Amino acid sequence: MSPGTRAAARPADASAAARRRLLAQLPQQGVTDPQVLAALDRIAREQFVDEAFRSRAYENTALPIGHAQTISQPAVVGLMTQALFEGGARPRRVLEIGTGSGYQTAVLAALVETVFTVERLRPLTELARQRLQRLGFRNIHFGYADGSLGWAPYAPYDGIVVTAAAREIPQSLLEQLAPGGRLVVPVGPAGSQLLQCVERGPSGPVSRTLASVSFVPLLTGKA
């Protein structure tokens, strides 16, 4: 794990019982990779939600973070992260589209060498930057930009994780994958979204479905 995980270790006053219950649920939801479970254990989710929702931080549910956005449920964060490592893959450089609260960012940064994260909402990217720097992460690069376009100057990436639902698999993101790299993205309209993992194979992209999910839509532009 990266040095950032030490700084982001759980505060002593966190609800240990609620955390243990959550961790016990995750394998039943398909999150079985030991290193991903360890990262979810160490990253203090209560530090990424508003004070009003701190008591619910270890529920396996999405929670509002303002600006019509949410922090994803831990099981989905686990599934998306796990997809990058399946089959013995060892991604070093990962792009995240949609920084949001910074929770998924932190989980990724605990496991890979460098995370590049892009957010289209300035208040969220600034808050996440401050939060993650305060927690001691030094392997994250932040961008305020239209995430639907990816982050071409730093491409190619070993993995790309999209935390909002696209209408279809974004070609612009596939083009920023390294050979063998994986794009994990929810696809489809509200009510019928599927979490897709697309690998850039030698004969073209190969896609598989991971789960049914519910995400806010992937929007263009900046705000």
Side-chain angles (χ1 to χ4, degrees):
M1 288 190 178
S2 76
T5 55
R6 294 196 295 272
R10 179 169 322 288
D13 62 349
S15 174
R19 174 174 55 86
R20 286 196 299 269
R21 285 195 298 271
L22 172 63
L23 290 171
Q25 294 173 17
L26 293 179
Q28 303 169 32
Q29 302 292 318
V31 185
T32 57
D33 187 298
Q35 62 184 336
V36 174
L37 288 168
L40 290 167
D41 183 18
R42 289 188 60 81
I43 301 301
R45 192 174 187 243
E46 66 269 23
Q47 297 192 31
F48 295 86
V49 299
D50 292 341
E51 185 69 34
F53 296 100
R54 291 280 171 88
S55 64
R56 301 181 59 193
Y58 293 103
E59 294 179 11
N60 190 24
T61 187
L63 296 170
I65 59 172
H67 305 277
Q69 305 297 303
T70 60
I71 180 174
S72 296
Q73 66 187 93
V76 172
V77 171
L79 286 174
M80 297 180 80
T81 305
Q82 179 175 272
L84 299 179
F85 291 88
E86 287 177 349
R90 290 292 179 265
R92 296 174 53 248
R93 294 162 46 86
V94 172
L95 171 65
E96 178 192 35
I97 304 300
T99 312
S101 69
Y103 177 61
Q104 171 77 81
T105 322
V107 172
L108 290 169
L111 295 167
V112 306
E113 184 176 302
T114 310
V115 175
F116 301 83
T117 183
V118 178
E119 173 59 56
R120 64 178 295 272
L121 298 173
R122 185 182 290 277
L124 289 183
T125 193
E126 291 302 327
L127 185 60
R129 183 198 303 269
Q130 295 167 16
R131 177 182 288 132
L132 290 163
Q133 289 179 345
R134 185 174 68 249
L135 291 173
F137 286 96
R138 298 294 181 265
N139 61 334
I140 303 170
H141 298 272
F142 297 87
Y144 167 54
D146 182 347
S148 67
L149 303 176
W151 204 355
Y154 294 98
Y157 304 99
D158 303 313
I160 300 177
V161 171
V162 185
T163 64
R167 297 292 296 186
E168 57 187 18
I169 295 172
Q171 184 64 31
S172 60
L173 299 185
L174 286 175
E175 292 171 354
Q176 293 179 33
L177 282 176
R182 294 172 183 173
L183 166 65
V184 184
V185 55
V187 179
S192 59
Q193 297 172 2
L194 295 175
L195 185 60
Q196 301 285 331
C197 179
V198 188
E199 184 166 344
R200 184 175 177 181
S203 301
V206 179
S207 179
R208 59 191 175 92
T209 299
L210 302 178
S212 297
V213 290
S214 178
F215 278 81
V216 297
L218 179 65
L219 302 177
T220 60
K222 297 192 296 183

